[in-house]
Amino acid sequence: MLPPRLAPHPTDLRGLPAASRREARAALAVTALATAWFALAAAWEMFGPVLAGHYASSASVGIIAENMLRWKIPGPVWEYTASRPAPGMYYCHHPWGIFWTTAAFMKVLGRHDVVCRLPAVLLSAATPPLLYALGRSIYRPAAGAAAAAAFVVLPITLSFANFNALEVPVMAWTLLGLFGYVRLLQTSRRRYLAVSALGLALGMHADWPAFVLTGGLLAFGAIRAYLLPRRVFGPLPERRYAAWWVLTASIAALTAALYLALFQQAGKLGDLLTSYGLRSSGNAEPLSKVLESRRYWLELSFTPIAIAAGKLAAIVCAARLALLRREHDALPLLYLATATVQYVVFRQGADIHIFWPHYFAAYFSLAAAALVDTGALLLERAAAARRAARIATPSAGPALDAPSGGPALATPPGGPALAALALWLVPLAAILRDGIPALRYARETGGRFNERGHLIDSDGAKTAFLRWLAPRLPGTPTDAPVAMHESMKATWAQVWALGGRVVAPNRPPPKEAPPRGAYLVDARFMLDRDQASLAQRFAVTAVGPFWALGAGDGARTSSASGIEAFSFREREPGLLAWYLVSGTEPEREIVPDPFLTWELRTHFGQPAEPPAAPPETLEQKRIAHNMALAAGDGARAAAIFGEISAALAPIGARFDDGTELLGTTFHEGARSLLTIFVRAGGPAASDVALAVRSRVVERAPLSTTMADPVVREVGLPTAISPQRWRAGFLYADPVPIRKRPGTEVFWASLTARERGRAPKLVDRGGASEVEVLRLR
């Protein structure tokens, strides 16, 4: 017999743990609120363009789906091709379930950005109800609500709720499979056998960790049913259980055999083994050292509260399994083992991908259910002890909670469970305090967060340029490929934005004529001498810092007409566009820009006509100032300089090479923008560039997550290289601000890219950088 204080609660006629109507209603309300919140978070920006970062892999799934439909192939190919891809091009590092799913959505809905996210959005919206159903089945309604609420507050689940990759479908489908497994044992009904088999099968088609979970469940089931005495875990529906075990094991074996055969047929089985050998590299490092190096990522993804609660819950779940002897208490531990294998064994993958520990979110949610149920059991035991004490001592008088003045012989229905749930919601609110800022931070950075200090660009403007360019390209997507210089830093999102056109990335500059489609360059990341060579030999269409050679006219290769420039006209999105399209990028329109045309032609030695219209924007006034200097009109230049200076927050920092940082403007919006205005002392040395870095000097108020310790590169190179600057001319360096949690300080400097001497600030004690922005 189990000790009375640990005995699990009774079950109702459906095999579910018995619960009061009050508890059930409260739990459903919490679950509904959690589900609505998480669905809204997942659907944020779902119709917007896919941008750079980890999120760009969602575009690769769209490319794969389009190739499957275009060429009628079963395997994933993540680049567009001019002819039917051979099996040797299939991507064979993961199962193909998510690609088949996305292809089905594309077949029904067509080629749209939303297709790249919609499967993940729907599965994310379904996950909290699945957690509730599973927690309610194992424990009680309050525990199910605790599981649902725990999942939707974690920073990592919020950040990757619309990420159409591997973790979201694996968690959703395996939770469905576990729900079917639990209900099968409780009811012995065939329908739950089908639900369990379906969920686990779809999970295994999504990614390999589902095999780990399924294997652990089968191993535990075999030990429980055939090795341990029946008295340990109680009676078992032998026939149904045996059918479940054989069916699940068969599905796992057949699914694994299917992919091994497909990968072998494609000649990629060795490639799979090599890739996972690489993913597991770094195992020689002590685990404690590895985890310490990832401390900020872990705290940012889960918060210290969730990490501590997860550790406590592992002990509680193990104790419950030993003392209560209910096989369902093993499920959180099996999910913990699955997440641990994913995170610890494949260390190289975890070093690169911040979302690698995503599976711990499912464990944490199931563990939350166990903690709340344990708390409810302890409160029930305490209430029973109080009732027994009152009955044993009649002289104690009526209890405070006694109805009609009589002694209290029972606690309110569902009271302990609701008290345990309410208590659990307090730390969840603290976790959500860090979860909401992390959601925005993730969307701004494409899921990269601090990227260990490396430069992060959303590619928002670049994507707008590519979408503007795509309908202007000649030929068809397969017969007129687009070549990209390495400065474009090609991603799947860029390829997807071109509308299905064959793309050749990292191509050297053309020597004679650009390809029939176009040759694309990001001037910010291209050497000045290579820019000059292209401007001299070819017609260039410049949209901001992006150059297109040959676009729209395959015969137009001469530079006689000079550079034609366009600019981005940006405005803040309205409320509906902010939610459905983009809340982290402005709306952009591409318009002809005679001011930028003059500036580029002047700097690259081409004939340039000043615009007839007067300048209106600060950027146009900057160029108008330079026009006046170039024309020798000092008075007009001085007048315009006065207007510009009045609009700036002054810096007044001068470097010893003559360059001055005059001041800044800061626009706070969907994509905040710091613009630094510079007066050049003349052409800079060959390796000098304007740089902007940031540091977090204080963590956010009420946050439990440590301040980001990384010094991050945030400034993009200027579109016109400092080596081409002219003395007295004004230049602007726009710096997108993707603020980290806490107080962040931004510093500007002139840096030497190689071994040259970096200019120093004059009258600032030899300092090399100056503060240009501080955000709290």
Side-chain angles (χ1 to χ4, degrees):
M1 289 292 294
L2 297 177
R5 69 178 185 279
L6 293 176
H9 29 70
T11 60
D12 60 19
L13 295 177
R14 298 168 296 167
L16 291 170
S20 69
R21 181 175 297 181
R22 181 170 171 237
E23 178 188 345
R25 287 178 175 176
L28 283 173
V30 171
T31 302
L33 182 62
T35 302
W37 153 248
F38 202 62
L40 287 171
W44 183 32
E45 301 184 318
M46 66 184 294
F47 292 97
V50 183
L51 302 181
H54 292 313
Y55 291 168
S57 65
S58 294
S60 77
V61 179
I63 294 169
I64 286 169
E66 188 171 10
N67 278 330
M68 286 179 169
L69 298 176
R70 176 185 291 179
W71 302 112
K72 295 179 173 57
I73 56 175
V77 175
W78 59 16
E79 61 185 83
Y80 293 114
T81 59
S83 59
R84 193 175 193 269
M89 296 186 67
Y90 291 170
Y91 175 64
C92 297
H93 289 185
H94 298 279
W96 296 349
I98 63 168
F99 310 126
W100 292 336
T101 301
T102 308
F105 274 83
M106 188 176 292
K107 180 69 175 178
V108 174
L109 300 177
R111 187 190 193 277
H112 303 288
D113 291 318
V114 68
V115 170
C116 296
R117 301 186 179 97
L118 188 56
V121 170
L122 294 176
L123 288 173
S124 287
T127 300
L130 282 171
L131 283 165
Y132 168 77
L134 185 54
R136 195 259 183 272
S137 299
I138 299 175
Y139 304 110
R140 60 174 79 218
F151 190 80
V152 305
V153 300
L154 289 174
I156 193 169
T157 57
L158 290 168
S159 299
F160 295 97
N162 71 348
F163 189 38
N164 190 21
L166 308 171
E167 290 78 10
V168 168
V170 167
M171 287 189 291
W173 292 127
T174 54
L175 289 171
L176 177 65
L178 293 180
F179 168 73
Y181 167 77
V182 171
R183 294 297 288 140
L184 174 69
L185 294 186
Q186 291 172 338
T187 67
S188 192
R189 291 181 179 175
R190 188 177 301 166
R191 74 180 75 160
Y192 294 117
L193 173 65
V195 168
S196 179
L198 176 65
L200 294 175
L202 291 174
M204 286 184 282
H205 277 285
D207 200 19
W208 307 121
F211 283 89
V212 178
L213 179 64
T214 303
L217 190 62
L218 288 170
F220 175 79
I223 294 171
R224 182 255 191 272
Y226 305 115
L227 296 181
L228 294 178
R230 293 301 170 86
R231 66 177 181 275
V232 175
F233 288 115
L236 190 70
E238 294 186 12
R239 186 174 178 181
R240 283 280 185 264
Y241 192 81
W244 170 85
W245 201 98
V246 171
L247 178 60
T248 304
S250 300
I251 290 174
L254 290 173
T255 304
L258 169 67
Y259 286 111
L260 290 176
L262 289 172
F263 295 173
Q264 178 63 31
Q265 186 180 18
K268 291 295 188 73
L269 191 56
D271 184 45
L272 171 68
L273 298 177
T274 300
S275 72
Y276 279 93
L278 176 64
R279 291 290 190 215
S280 61
S281 63
N283 284 339
E285 290 285 346
L287 181 59
S288 58
K289 184 176 179 180
V290 172
L291 294 179
E292 181 60 30
S293 69
R294 301 175 190 161
R295 180 187 168 191
Y296 178 69
W297 276 11
L298 289 170
E299 289 196 8
L300 184 66
S301 298
F302 292 95
T303 77
I305 296 174
I307 294 170
K311 293 176 180 178
L312 172 64
I315 299 172
V316 171
C317 289
R320 287 179 61 103
L321 184 63
L323 297 175
L324 295 181
R325 290 178 288 179
R326 298 173 65 233
E327 63 264 39
H328 298 155
D329 281 315
L331 298 184
L333 298 175
L334 289 174
Y335 229 115
L336 175 61
T338 300
T340 302
V341 169
Q342 163 80 356
Y343 192 66
V344 173
V345 174
F346 301 105
R347 293 191 182 183
Q348 189 267 352
D351 285 335
I352 298 173
H353 305 99
I354 191 172
F355 56 82
W356 212 251
H358 202 168
Y359 293 112
F360 284 106
Y363 157 70
F364 176 71
S365 302
L366 296 177
L371 287 176
V372 167
D373 185 63
T374 303
L377 289 175
L378 294 175
L379 289 174
E380 287 169 352
R381 168 57 182 161
R386 288 195 302 270
R387 289 196 301 271
R390 288 171 185 152
I391 294 173
T393 45
S395 60
L400 294 177
D401 59 349
S404 305
L409 298 180
T411 56
L418 292 179
L421 175 60
L423 186 63
W424 175 245
L425 293 179
V426 174
L428 291 190
I431 295 173
L432 185 61
R433 157 61 189 91
D434 285 323
I436 293 175
L439 170 60
R440 179 172 181 85
Y441 187 22
R443 295 296 175 88
E444 288 180 319
T445 61
R448 288 171 291 186
F449 295 94
N450 66 2
E451 194 72 348
R452 300 194 184 277
H454 298 300
L455 178 65
I456 295 174
D457 188 17
S458 70
D459 276 1
K462 190 179 296 183
T463 301
F465 158 67
L466 294 174
R467 292 183 174 234
W468 173 85
L469 181 67
R472 293 168 171 78
L473 294 173
T476 65
T478 56
D479 69 3
V482 173
M484 291 185 178
H485 185 261
E486 63 181 356
S487 60
M488 288 293 288
K489 303 183 184 296
T491 66
W492 290 307
Q494 293 180 34
V495 176
W496 171 260
L498 283 167
R501 194 167 291 263
V502 177
V503 174
N506 301 324
R507 292 296 187 265
K511 295 182 178 179
E512 297 179 359
R516 184 165 178 259
Y519 184 78
L520 308 183
V521 164
D522 185 343
R524 298 171 299 181
F525 297 97
M526 193 177 196
L527 293 175
D528 176 67
R529 62 175 180 270
D530 292 335
Q531 294 179 37
S533 175
L534 293 179
Q536 181 182 8
R537 294 184 294 121
F538 301 112
V540 173
T541 300
V543 179
F546 312 113
W547 292 12
L549 279 61
D553 184 359
R556 184 175 178 257
T557 59
S558 170
S559 65
S561 58
I563 299 172
E564 294 293 334
F566 297 76
S567 289
F568 296 100
R569 182 181 294 164
E570 298 181 347
R571 62 180 179 273
E572 290 297 311
L575 180 61
L576 195 61
W578 179 91
Y579 178 73
L580 293 176
V581 180
S582 180
T584 55
E585 292 287 332
E587 293 181 347
R588 292 181 173 93
E589 179 185 6
I590 295 176
V591 296
D593 190 340
F595 286 89
L596 182 59
T597 297
W598 178 91
E599 180 169 62
L600 291 176
R601 290 186 180 185
T602 298
H603 280 80
F604 287 97
Q606 298 176 353
E609 290 292 330
E616 297 179 358
T617 67
L618 199 61
E619 175 68 3
Q620 290 176 350
K621 289 178 180 180
R622 177 188 68 78
I623 298 175
H625 166 273
N626 296 344
M627 290 180 191
L629 280 185
D633 190 346
R636 176 166 171 74
I640 298 176
F641 181 82
E643 294 181 27
I644 295 173
S645 297
L648 303 181
I651 297 177
R654 185 173 182 274
F655 291 89
D656 57 15
D657 69 344
T659 303
E660 296 179 69
L661 302 185
L662 300 174
T664 64
T665 62
F666 180 64
H667 170 76
E668 189 171 7
R671 186 275 343 260
S672 296
L673 187 69
L674 170 72
T675 305
I676 303 173
F677 283 77
V678 181
R679 177 154 57 185
S686 60
D687 60 350
V688 169
L690 180 61
V692 181
R693 298 184 177 92
S694 74
R695 305 179 186 91
V696 177
V697 297
E698 185 180 0
R699 73 180 181 184
L702 302 180
S703 172
T704 59
T705 301
M706 66 182 291
D708 189 348
V710 171
V711 176
R712 193 177 71 177
E713 193 78 35
V714 297
L716 296 163
T718 53
I720 296 177
S721 169
Q723 286 73 57
R724 197 168 286 273
W725 286 357
R726 298 190 176 188
F729 273 32
L730 302 183
Y731 298 91
D733 182 19
V735 182
I737 300 299
R738 298 174 178 92
K739 183 183 175 301
R740 293 179 278 182
T743 300
E744 189 170 13
V745 181
F746 299 81
W747 303 77
S749 64
L750 291 179
T751 62
R753 293 179 179 174
E754 298 175 0
R755 297 183 179 180
R757 175 187 173 276
K760 300 294 182 182
L761 288 163
V762 177
D763 299 329
R764 299 204 181 208
S768 60
E769 58 184 8
V770 59
E771 181 178 326
V772 292
L773 182 66
R774 181 179 291 257
L775 294 175
R776 291 179 174 83

